Amino acid sequence: MVESSTKGTWSKGSRGQLARGLALYLGGSYALLEITDIFTDQFGLPDWFFPGALVLLLMGLPIVITTALVQGRAARRHEAEAAVQPASAAGAPEPEGAAAVQVAAVPAATPWLTWHKAMLGLVVTFAVWGMVVSGYMAMRAFGIGPVGSLVAAGVLDERERVIVADFENNTNDPLLGEATTEAFRIDLSQSTIVTVVDPAYVAQVLTRMQRTSGEELGVDLAREVAIREGIKAVVTGEITPVGTGFVMSAQLVAAEDGQVLAARRETANDSTQIIGAIDRLSKKLRERIGESMKTIRANEPLDRMTTPSLEALRKYTQAERAIDQGDNERAIELLEEAVALDTAFAMAYRKLGITLSNIGQDPARAREALTEAYEHRDRLTERERYLTLGSYYNGVTGEEEKAVAAYQSLLDIHPDDPWALNNLAIIYLEKRDYRQAEQLFTHAIRIDSASALYYGNAMSTQVALGKYGDAEYTLGRLAELAPGHPSVGMQATALASSRFDYETAERHVRAFREEQRASPLMQLYASFSLAQIAEVRGQLQEAEGYVLEAIAAAEEQGNNGMYMAGSVRIAFYDLWFRGDADAAVRRVEAALARHPLETIEPLERPYALLATFYALAGRTQRAEAYLAELERATDPILHEADGGPGVARGLVAMMDGRPEEGIAELRAADEGACSICILPVLGQAYDAAGEADSVIAVYERYVNTPWLDRLTAADWFALAGVYERLGGLYELRGDTEKAVLYYSRFVELWKDADPDLQVRVEAARRSIERLSGEI
């Protein structure tokens, strides 16, 4: 009976000990794992720290269970002894061997398996584990041994530039290597420890090396480029099919001697897992270089920052290459295909919106794309997110201060980000802070000399500051680095025309037109440029031919907004140059009948242009009707088009006999980057008010203020008339020398003007002859 009682009591005691021990151990383990997880994130501990702690806790679990069972038996032994001792003390007769049997039935507790010793063992184990991790982190921080980071070891410096070579493609898919390389480059570009060299920069170096810019950038060629440019390291990789899956590897190679500084590899079970494998591969390499695991873990997975669709990524990669080569039309097609494959591909939407904006095409689609990028901004890298915010606020909502804050936030993190510098500079340019804008543009060029866009922007500020020598140098660098790029011809044309050298400008345009004959978009640009050069010379019949050529192409492409703008431009010849308002109005009415505004995208409807035209034509009620339409448009960007409503309102007031009101409206509209755009019509308003001195001051400022795009901005229609009027005003004032100066400029400019305009030229010649006799 005693033995049976001992067994039952022992089982109950063991279960109690086990339950209490497990409860305490599991609770403590949970708390310890939570602390481990926090430490891993906060202090950038290695990925194996948490699973290592979990393994140690699982290894300790059998010890806890065994200790609980042994201690339960020990508790029973003590209870049995306590039950035997009272009976002996009462003097009851007891067989000699009975006590011995009872004591033997209770096993003795194992002296080394106690709760104290078990807990002490676990504490010591985790202390050793902590020392191992601390030692690892110390070796990594000081660059010791195989775990030491390359930056800590002095092999690379922080923010070291690296070139990502094209991954070797061992598959049967010719585009897979390009997509893999681009995905790896995107992920590596998030690094705070290295700076990835832009592919466009590499392409320009290859051009200087007299190599084909589209040539495959293998490791040997990448090393050669790196050595030329003083870059220490190259990243190369490989993708190899294995069964239905793929093996991807990446190596960091010293440019000078080809020594492998770091190598990592990853596997993907199939093509759908390639992007995830690239993400892991890049992060492993970043860790080896020396980036904190904390910052690496802060990055979103690559498929969320780009796209889970490998095919969409392929399209994006091809579009990037097309943009670098100046083929924006092809790039737009590819980006449209990419977002069709992944409708949340924010990076592709942003690139599409920016590309359309840069070439001035389809503003509605550009804004739609930027809006899509903004709405999916959680799927962007940190850099792309800030760039998207800036583009959205500046180009969609018109919230300039928010745009500045976005770009500045990016520069706080990456002080040398060229796109943030460029985009911030554009905002300063719009504020006419040309000096600050120039500093930012040239800084962007120093960091990334590959982008043609930076050069044109820098030239705008340099000319605005009167630094023509610097502008010529900038153009020369662009021509040297990117020969054949469309921007070279475009900026050369603008620079020549800004100096009133139209013969040189025309040569540049004709050469450009021949070079870009395969591009419909560039042909449109060339046609309008030739039209402007003809217009400023008074050769309106020739200009009309170029404009008709351009708007016919635009109409064929479904661009009714450009058709309407071109038609108004031709009508302006009758209105402004020939003084035939009725003929001008008939032409515009015919264009509106052909393509009513309702058939044009809302953002492309030229309300401000039509209001300005009808005001100058003396049809102020029609002008006011279009102004009302413009006012009902809620889009802030639309209000800025064609000078916004301020110019049209000023002209309406002037034509209605309220010149002072018109002057006030025009002065208020004189804002934005262009410092000369409003001046011709402002001078006209002062003329209507009879303020001759103000007319002279405004016109003098107009003709003497340098501006790179002045031909496009105003000279095409205003320059000849301003010269002519200044000659007349100075003649009335009695300033013969200046009168002759401006009459002579007018005659020289229009010496080959159309026959019907020669009557004005002859009148100016007679004035020159008469006044010259008085000098």
Side-chain angles (χ1 to χ4, degrees):
M1 296 293 295
V2 173
E3 186 174 351
S4 175
S5 175
T6 299
K7 182 178 179 180
T9 305
W10 177 88
S11 298
K12 183 179 179 181
S14 297
R15 287 196 296 271
Q17 286 278 348
L18 181 60
R20 287 192 297 272
L22 284 176
L24 289 171
Y25 186 74
L26 292 176
S29 297
Y30 176 79
L32 184 60
L33 289 174
E34 284 290 312
I35 294 171
T36 300
D37 190 42
I38 292 171
F39 272 45
T40 300
D41 288 338
Q42 294 298 318
F43 298 104
L45 298 180
D47 286 335
W48 45 262
F49 179 56
F50 183 89
L54 180 60
V55 169
L56 290 177
L57 288 170
L58 291 174
M59 290 172 61
L61 186 59
I63 298 174
V64 171
I65 293 173
T66 303
T67 301
L69 294 174
V70 169
Q71 290 303 311
R73 291 175 182 174
R76 171 58 193 141
R77 181 174 64 81
H78 291 304
E79 291 174 5
E81 289 177 351
V84 170
Q85 287 173 359
S88 301
E94 184 177 298
E96 184 175 343
V101 172
Q102 294 287 346
V103 173
V106 181
T110 306
W112 50 267
L113 202 56
T114 64
W115 284 117
H116 175 74
K117 291 180 178 179
M119 292 301 105
L120 181 62
L122 288 172
V123 170
V124 170
T125 300
F126 274 92
V128 172
W129 177 241
M131 292 173 63
V132 169
V133 175
S134 298
Y136 171 88
M137 296 299 289
M139 292 174 68
R140 172 177 159 79
F142 291 103
I144 301 171
V147 301
S149 78
L150 298 177
V151 170
V155 177
L156 298 176
D157 296 326
E158 283 198 29
R159 305 303 303 174
E160 189 80 61
R161 291 189 301 164
V162 297
I163 294 175
V164 177
D166 291 337
F167 274 42
E168 184 177 346
N169 183 12
N170 297 319
T171 72
N172 295 324
D173 184 345
L175 295 178
L176 188 55
E178 290 184 6
T180 302
T181 305
E182 182 65 20
F184 190 91
R185 184 182 291 113
I186 290 170
D187 197 89
L188 191 62
S189 67
Q190 296 187 92
S191 175
T192 58
I193 205 74
V194 294
T195 301
V196 177
V197 177
D198 193 282
Y201 179 89
V202 175
Q204 291 189 1
V205 177
L206 290 173
T207 300
R208 296 200 301 272
M209 293 168 61
Q210 297 185 338
R211 305 288 291 264
T212 305
S213 60
E215 183 176 349
E216 182 177 350
L217 189 69
V219 61
D220 293 335
L221 183 56
R223 284 179 54 206
E224 188 177 348
V225 171
I227 291 170
R228 284 176 60 96
E229 298 300 304
I231 297 169
K232 290 183 180 179
V234 168
V235 177
T236 184
E238 183 177 356
I239 178 167
T240 304
V242 178
T244 59
F246 301 87
V247 173
M248 280 161 287
S249 62
Q251 295 179 327
L252 186 70
V253 177
E256 196 67 39
D257 57 12
Q259 178 187 355
V260 176
L261 305 175
R264 295 291 184 268
R265 61 185 295 169
E266 271 292 339
T267 60
N269 293 334
D270 55 48
S271 61
T272 63
Q273 297 185 15
I274 286 178
I275 292 177
I278 294 170
D279 188 28
R280 297 191 299 274
L281 184 65
S282 169
K283 286 174 170 54
K284 284 182 178 180
L285 194 64
R286 289 163 61 184
E287 180 185 7
R288 179 70 177 94
I289 292 171
E291 188 170 353
S292 165
M293 286 303 300
K294 180 179 179 180
T295 60
I296 292 173
R297 292 191 189 104
N299 297 150
E300 291 284 349
L302 182 60
D303 62 345
R304 275 193 57 78
M305 294 180 302
T306 55
T307 172
S309 168
L310 187 61
E311 186 61 27
L313 185 60
R314 285 176 176 149
K315 300 290 186 184
Y316 178 85
T317 303
Q318 291 175 279
E320 287 267 81
R321 298 282 178 93
I323 291 170
D324 293 341
Q325 295 164 8
D327 190 352
N328 290 307
E329 291 155 293
R330 176 62 178 152
I332 290 167
E333 290 177 10
L334 289 164
L335 290 168
E336 290 284 15
E337 292 173 13
V339 297
L341 290 166
D342 178 4
T343 57
F345 194 174
M347 193 176 289
Y349 277 122
R350 192 189 82 82
K351 185 68 70 175
L352 175 61
I354 293 299
T355 305
L356 287 168
S357 298
N358 286 342
I359 64 175
Q361 291 292 303
D362 201 348
R365 180 58 179 141
R367 290 160 52 76
E368 180 185 343
L370 289 175
T371 301
E372 288 284 353
Y374 175 80
E375 290 176 351
H376 295 289
R377 61 191 180 279
D378 60 323
R379 287 191 53 181
L380 291 168
T381 65
E382 184 177 53
R383 174 178 181 267
E384 287 276 337
R385 190 179 307 119
Y386 280 123
L387 289 174
T388 296
L389 289 172
S391 300
Y392 176 76
Y393 289 133
N394 196 43
V396 178
T397 66
E399 297 174 274
E400 188 178 89
E401 294 306 317
K402 286 186 177 181
V404 170
Y407 295 134
Q408 195 59 62
S409 295
L410 178 54
L411 290 171
D412 289 342
I413 302 167
H414 300 289
D416 291 334
D417 188 282
W419 280 107
L421 291 167
N422 177 79
N423 294 356
L424 186 58
I426 289 173
I427 294 175
Y428 282 112
L429 178 62
E430 288 294 319
K431 293 180 176 181
R432 300 186 188 175
D433 188 347
Y434 304 128
R435 196 168 303 281
Q436 178 68 23
E438 185 206 11
Q439 291 175 0
L440 292 170
F441 285 136
T442 54
H443 187 187
I445 290 173
R446 284 194 300 273
I447 295 164
D448 177 14
S449 62
S451 177
L453 184 65
Y454 306 154
Y455 292 86
N457 290 340
M459 287 174 64
S460 292
T461 56
Q462 288 163 343
V463 171
L465 292 168
K467 298 161 69 172
Y468 279 96
D470 289 351
E472 287 177 351
Y473 173 76
T474 301
L475 178 60
R477 283 198 65 196
L478 175 60
E480 178 186 352
L481 293 170
H485 194 286
S487 289
V488 176
M490 295 166 73
Q491 298 306 330
T493 301
L495 186 59
S497 59
S498 74
R499 290 174 140 172
F500 312 108
D501 183 359
Y502 302 115
E503 286 76 14
T504 301
E506 184 176 0
R507 286 199 302 272
H508 284 307
V509 176
R510 293 196 181 281
F512 172 88
R513 194 181 200 190
E514 180 62 23
E515 290 171 1
Q516 303 295 325
R517 59 183 178 275
S519 170
L521 180 63
M522 294 299 102
Q523 291 300 302
L524 279 175
Y525 165 82
S527 294
F528 275 117
S529 295
L530 289 170
Q532 289 168 355
I533 293 170
E535 288 159 353
V536 76
R537 292 164 158 176
Q539 298 162 355
L540 304 183
Q541 294 178 7
E542 182 180 347
E544 183 173 342
Y546 289 125
V547 176
L548 287 173
E549 177 183 286
I551 65 175
E555 187 176 38
E556 186 177 341
Q557 297 168 16
N559 190 341
N560 295 340
M562 183 176 289
Y563 178 90
M564 180 59 61
S567 299
V568 173
R569 189 185 196 96
I570 295 173
F572 200 74
Y573 301 164
D574 287 327
L575 175 63
W576 187 267
F577 295 103
R578 300 185 180 111
D580 190 346
D582 291 338
V585 169
R586 285 195 298 271
R587 181 180 287 274
V588 172
E589 293 294 336
L592 286 169
R594 184 182 182 94
H595 294 295
L597 291 184
E598 294 76 18
T599 67
I600 301 174
E601 286 286 339
L603 282 178
E604 297 177 29
R605 295 174 187 172
Y607 291 125
L609 177 63
L610 288 168
T612 300
F613 169 81
Y614 278 108
L616 286 170
R619 275 65 167 178
T620 55
Q621 288 186 343
R622 285 290 300 275
E624 288 174 342
Y626 283 118
L627 280 173
E629 288 289 334
L630 180 60
E631 289 301 323
R632 282 194 286 272
T634 58
D635 196 296
I637 303 301
L638 187 60
H639 287 200
E640 298 172 8
D642 303 314
V647 173
R649 282 198 297 262
L651 291 174
V652 166
M654 181 185 74
M655 298 302 290
D656 274 348
R658 296 174 282 118
E660 292 79 7
E661 185 180 333
I663 290 168
E665 288 281 4
L666 291 168
R667 288 176 64 87
D670 187 14
E671 56 184 15
C674 181
S675 57
I676 67 166
C677 291
I678 301 295
L679 298 182
V681 289
L682 178 61
Q684 192 179 21
Y686 277 119
D687 218 348
E691 300 181 32
D693 289 345
S694 294
V695 177
I696 291 174
V698 169
Y699 281 167
E700 283 279 5
R701 182 153 61 97
Y702 167 66
V703 299
N704 293 307
T705 298
W707 186 245
L708 181 64
D709 294 315
R710 63 175 303 131
L711 178 61
T712 301
D715 283 0
W716 68 273
F717 75 90
L719 185 62
V722 168
Y723 282 159
E724 184 182 29
R725 183 59 178 148
L726 278 172
L729 289 170
Y730 277 120
E731 183 179 1
L732 290 172
R733 182 184 276 189
D735 191 334
T736 304
E737 186 175 347
K738 283 198 171 182
V740 169
L741 170 67
Y742 283 110
Y743 277 139
S744 298
R745 288 185 180 180
F746 170 66
V747 169
E748 176 63 24
L749 185 61
W750 268 21
K751 62 184 178 183
D752 296 319
D754 289 347
D756 61 328
L757 300 179
Q758 287 296 328
V759 62
R760 292 167 58 182
V761 178
E762 288 302 320
R765 283 199 179 103
R766 288 194 296 272
S767 295
I768 293 171
E769 291 173 0
R770 184 181 67 257
L771 294 170
S772 296
E774 299 175 6
I775 295 177

